[in-house]
Amino acid sequence: MTGMEVGLISVVAILVLIYAGMYVPVALGLVSFVSVWYLRGSTEAPIYLLTLAASAGLEEYHYGVIPLFVLMGLLVSQCDLGRDIYEVANYAMRKIKGGLGVATVAANTAFAAITGVSIASASVFARVSVPEMRRFGYTPRFAVGVVAGSSVLGMLIPPSVMLIIYAIVTELSVADMFKAGIVPGLLLALAYVAMIVCMAVFFPKYIGGQDEESLAFAEQQSSLSGKEIAGKIAPFLVLILLVLGGIYGGLFTPTEAGAVGAMGALIIALIKRKLSRSVLWKVLGETGNIVASLLLLIVAATMYSRMLAISGLPAEFGLWLAGTDLGLIGVLIVYVVMLIIMGTILDTTSIILIMVPLFLPVMLPYGIDLVWFGIITIVGAEIGLLTPPLGISCYVIKATLPDKDISLFDVFAGAFPFAVVMLLVLVLLIAFPGISLIFV
Amino acid sequence: MNNKKTSGKFGVAKAFELWVMALNNIGTLWIFLLMLLINADVFARFLFNRPIDGVPEMVALSIVGIVFLQLGDAVRAGRLTRSDGFFNKVVARRPRLKLALNIFYDLCGMAFFVAILVGVYPIFIQAYQGGYYAGTEGIFTVPEWPVKLILVISCVTVILVFFTLLVRHIGGLIKSGEVE
């Protein structure tokens, strides 16, 4: 067999094994191991590569960002900051049509700026804002849809673990990826807001709670004094200033920003009396579990990308695509479709780690900006998280909903319009690379 | 319910569980210390213009230590990334197929970590005997072998965790055969 055939069989085998329920890192690592063994004719080369990936490969100062930002995100979720910002957003949006929905998007956007894990946003807002919207007459389908749709903002708005992981795989700077995520994230949030307001004006029945009586009730219930607002917003401003200000201002490396942010979140949690010793220990343990599985995935993916390079598959694949006259846009469309299909069953990290090493050599000859390509990758993979059969965000929301009458079907149906808006935003991002690159 | 009985009967299994938890707790504590260390470095730099030597090296070595120490518990708790939605649907009504597949996955997991172990063991021996260190001579150095030892110990632990899962799944398969 030629190297290319081995590479192709390996990729197919990995996908089949993953779909059949094998641990993703084991599937990636072991299949790659066997392929390199076959291609090189001895176990020496694959053992060397695997050891390099697992030991020297992980000894990277930059990988420190992952545990620290995960820790910060989990601490922040512990502080009830999600509820606080939602109350403020409600108050600010009380006069707008579909205000509670708009507030959910706004609160998620702010929350995304202090956490890096979107599963955290999904579970926090499923508990905080769905019951609130239900209380004021919003339909269950719309309520869960808004939460599902806006949870993906967490992956796009820095600090985000996805931006970090893409930066690691492509050896780009984390700070550059963080700069690139801001405008697309805000654009997506604005597009959601525009859609919600349009829905509230043209299809008030779909959203629910838009009759005079409910609106008056909602407005009357939402009252905050200036002091309360300041108290609820202050922790956000402090954390955003520390972390993003520190990175963009050139004061901190991203790793340091993660450590300072985690410390800030810890202090806020202590001040708000949300942190006992046992809760802190639980948060640290959870951080460890997430970090171990994320980084093992990176180890396996490093092995996988070495295997691909040895097999020569990406280069051949690139030549083949170049010969099909698809052009850059055509190749990108193929890529995005593949991302969306994979996103329906896999988590975003795994998708990035499988697809990027395969497509990067294909994209390089087009001379595109890799930062821009990263944003497209993340948004494309995230669309799948909102679509059936297995959109992960939707499952998380279903699992954390206090209201058991809302079915999984409702979550998917509710998320669908948001997935469509995401796709439209993705088209814009592809058409206008400047949106992603404005600050880079 | 019969905790006392099982702890007596499966003393080894219990001890192993405690071992995995102990490794996990060391890793957990390590994350916390790492956060404190980096903060101390940042503050020392801004307030006294005097950063702490060797922090980048310590961070780099820590990542390996933290990840591997926590892997055993991550495997035990079923936290390794997998796409189980499709899997659960297909095997929902075929418990024996599910067990058989899980046995296969356990074996693959073991094989993967055996491969890592075979690679890192000689590296540990070299680092230990050669006295390798990370950092810059004269400013800050830290010996490399402790982290390599953690790698070796953790790989053995993860292999054993997969083995306990394997035993459980094989046990389940035998039991389900008896029921039929």
Side-chain angles (χ1 to χ4, degrees):
Chain A
M1 274 192 285
T2 64
M4 196 196 88
E5 284 166 346
V6 175
L8 197 59
I9 292 171
S10 305
V11 174
V12 173
I14 288 167
L15 290 178
V16 169
L17 286 172
I18 290 174
Y19 271 65
M22 193 189 239
Y23 301 108
V24 176
V26 175
L28 271 174
L30 206 59
V31 171
S32 307
F33 187 92
V34 173
S35 309
V36 176
W37 183 0
Y38 178 86
L39 287 167
R40 284 284 181 267
S42 82
T43 56
E44 206 172 307
I47 285 179
Y48 173 75
L49 287 177
L50 185 58
T51 312
L52 208 62
S55 143
L58 276 186
E59 275 174 33
E60 264 295 336
Y61 173 72
H62 303 292
Y63 287 7
V65 279
I66 295 181
L68 295 166
F69 274 121
V70 170
L71 176 59
M72 179 183 168
L74 294 180
L75 281 170
V76 161
S77 313
Q78 208 56 245
C79 301
D80 266 0
L81 287 184
R83 181 179 297 277
D84 288 353
I85 197 71
Y86 184 61
E87 282 170 8
V88 174
N90 268 350
Y91 180 69
M93 310 294 170
R94 67 192 187 284
K95 306 236 185 247
I96 295 179
K97 285 252 174 201
L100 290 173
V102 176
T104 305
V105 175
N108 254 298
T109 311
F111 197 67
I114 56 170
T115 56
V117 263
S118 82
I119 300 296
S121 335
S123 60
V124 164
F125 287 96
R127 262 179 280 126
V128 173
S129 68
V130 173
E132 193 72 1
M133 282 189 267
R134 296 287 294 127
R135 190 155 79 94
F136 293 107
Y138 282 55
T139 64
R141 199 169 279 187
F142 174 77
V144 289
V146 181
V147 172
S150 46
S151 73
V152 301
L153 291 168
M155 303 258 197
L156 209 50
I157 293 176
S160 144
V161 171
M162 287 316 131
L163 296 171
I164 295 171
I165 285 180
Y166 180 82
I168 286 174
V169 202
T170 50
E171 297 180 2
L172 292 169
S173 109
V174 173
D176 277 353
M177 285 311 296
F178 275 10
K179 285 175 197 158
I182 302 175
V183 179
L186 293 178
L187 177 68
L188 184 60
L190 279 178
Y192 282 165
V193 168
M195 181 185 75
I196 292 170
V197 173
C198 286
M199 277 177 167
V201 173
F202 299 111
F203 312 99
K205 286 252 160 52
Y206 178 79
I207 292 189
Q210 300 304 310
D211 51 292
E212 295 295 324
E213 209 176 313
S214 309
L215 284 174
F217 180 45
E219 199 177 325
Q220 168 211 338
Q221 287 287 308
S222 171
S223 71
L224 288 173
S225 67
K227 203 177 158 195
E228 281 173 310
I229 293 175
K232 287 175 194 295
I233 289 185
F236 274 84
L237 294 181
V238 169
L239 288 176
I240 293 175
L241 203 68
L242 270 180
V243 173
L244 298 183
I247 296 176
Y248 299 143
L251 294 178
F252 303 144
T253 66
T255 305
E256 287 168 348
V260 172
M263 193 68 175
L266 182 73
I267 292 170
I268 290 170
L270 285 173
I271 293 174
K272 298 191 77 177
R273 300 188 178 281
K274 295 287 180 196
L275 208 63
S276 62
R277 199 179 300 171
S278 67
V279 170
L280 174 62
W281 192 249
K282 218 184 83 203
V283 165
L284 284 167
E286 176 73 11
T287 307
N289 266 334
I290 294 176
V291 170
S293 60
L294 269 180
L295 283 173
L296 184 67
L297 211 48
I298 293 182
V299 168
T302 310
M303 179 74 196
Y304 160 77
S305 65
R306 295 277 177 279
M307 179 277 287
L308 283 182
I310 291 173
S311 76
L313 176 66
E316 295 274 346
F317 184 47
L319 284 177
W320 179 76
L321 276 179
T324 54
D325 288 332
L326 280 171
L328 176 59
I329 296 301
V331 174
L332 280 176
I333 290 171
V334 172
Y335 179 65
V336 167
V337 169
M338 286 173 78
L339 287 176
I340 294 176
I341 292 172
M342 290 180 83
T344 61
I345 188 156
L346 267 177
D347 62 291
T348 318
T349 316
S350 307
I351 299 169
I352 293 176
L353 293 174
I354 292 172
M355 293 294 279
V356 171
L358 196 58
F359 269 85
L360 208 54
V362 176
M363 305 313 294
L364 282 176
Y366 292 102
I368 60 160
D369 194 300
L370 292 183
V371 172
W372 171 63
F373 186 61
I375 298 297
I376 292 175
T377 305
I378 292 169
V379 177
E382 295 279 302
I383 292 175
L385 296 193
L386 297 181
T387 46
L390 293 159
I392 291 169
S393 280
C394 295
Y395 277 83
V396 171
I397 288 165
K398 170 71 186 118
T400 34
L401 272 181
D403 185 351
K404 295 296 165 205
D405 289 341
I406 302 177
S407 73
L408 189 60
F409 180 78
D410 287 324
V411 183
F412 277 123
F416 186 70
F418 292 88
V420 173
V421 169
M422 266 187 101
L423 191 61
L424 293 177
V425 169
L426 181 60
V427 171
L428 279 179
L429 292 174
I430 292 176
F432 305 103
I435 299 173
S436 314
L437 300 174
I438 190 162
F439 288 131
V440 182
Chain B
M1 280 177 285
N2 48 1
N3 265 341
K4 267 189 185 152
K5 205 173 152 193
T6 41
S7 68
K9 202 171 171 187
F10 299 106
V12 181
K14 191 79 197 162
F16 181 65
E17 210 181 306
L18 288 176
W19 166 251
V20 173
M21 267 174 61
L23 290 187
N24 181 49
N25 286 344
I26 298 171
T28 301
L29 198 63
W30 199 336
I31 294 182
F32 193 66
L33 294 177
L34 187 71
M35 181 190 83
L36 293 181
L37 174 73
I38 298 176
N39 273 287
D41 178 42
V42 169
F43 278 98
R45 196 174 71 209
F46 281 111
L47 295 181
F48 313 114
N49 205 12
R50 174 84 184 82
I52 301 171
D53 287 329
V55 169
E57 285 87 355
M58 299 279 278
V59 174
L61 286 175
S62 296
I63 301 305
V64 191
I66 289 169
V67 170
F68 273 83
L69 282 172
Q70 311 240 8
L71 267 180
D73 190 57
V75 174
R76 189 196 57 78
R79 295 298 297 267
L80 284 197
T81 320
R82 73 195 287 192
S83 159
D84 45 11
F86 186 68
F87 176 69
N88 285 339
K89 258 191 201 123
V90 170
V91 298
R93 274 185 236 120
R94 300 191 191 113
R96 283 173 64 83
L97 175 66
K98 183 175 183 175
L99 284 165
L101 280 172
N102 271 322
I103 289 170
F104 175 63
Y105 301 149
D106 298 335
L107 286 169
C108 289
M110 286 174 79
F112 183 55
F113 279 91
V114 166
I116 299 180
L117 180 62
V118 169
V120 292
Y121 182 70
I123 289 184
F124 159 64
I125 296 292
Q126 278 168 18
Y128 184 71
Q129 289 176 345
Y132 296 168
Y133 56 84
T136 318
E137 177 111 52
I139 299 172
F140 173 86
T141 56
V142 54
E144 276 193 353
W145 68 265
V147 167
K148 308 292 179 204
L149 180 62
I150 289 173
L151 272 172
V152 172
I153 291 174
S154 301
C155 280
V156 174
T157 305
V158 174
I159 293 166
L160 290 174
V161 172
F162 272 118
F163 182 72
T164 58
L165 291 178
L166 179 71
V167 169
R168 193 188 308 158
H169 290 137
I170 291 180
L173 195 62
I174 293 171
K175 214 185 247 168
S176 74
E178 280 167 1
V179 172
E180 278 179 23

